[in-house]
Amino acid sequence: MSIDWAALGQVFGVSLAVTVGFVGVFTLGILGTSRKAQPAEAGPDTTSTTPGASATAGAALGPARVGAYACFALCAAAVAYGINLIVA
């Protein structure tokens, strides 16, 4: 019996890269959903004096949530593709 070390190395490299990428995308999704809007006034030592600061902080959460949901959808698609490869 002989072992094809080049093929084994390729499988290891691809699986390592896909795993790191998958974990990175899932982490970005968690980071995007964990963002919270900053309160408009935190007390007397507030550095922001802009009256519409809370509106812009809340509006900035929209793209973060959409990006997070896109990351989760990409992870779900990768899992579905893996299951499809196993079942087929």
Side-chain angles (χ1 to χ4, degrees), residues 36-60:
K36 296 200 181 344
Q38 298 296 328
E41 290 188 28
D45 56 348
T46 307
T47 59
S48 175
T49 58
T50 308
S54 64
T56 59

Side-chain angles (χ1 to χ4, degrees), residues 1 7 10 16 29 33-35 44 47 51-54 60 69-70 77-78 80:
M1 174 178 10
Q10 284 180 341
L16 182 67
T33 57
S34 66
R35 298 280 175 150
T47 59
S54 64
Y69 295 149

Side-chain angles (χ1 to χ4, degrees), residues 2 7 18-19 22 27-28 30 33 37 50 54 64 76-77 80 82 86:
S2 66
V18 168
T19 301
F22 189 79
T27 302
L28 286 175
I30 291 174
T33 57
T50 308
S54 64
I86 292 171

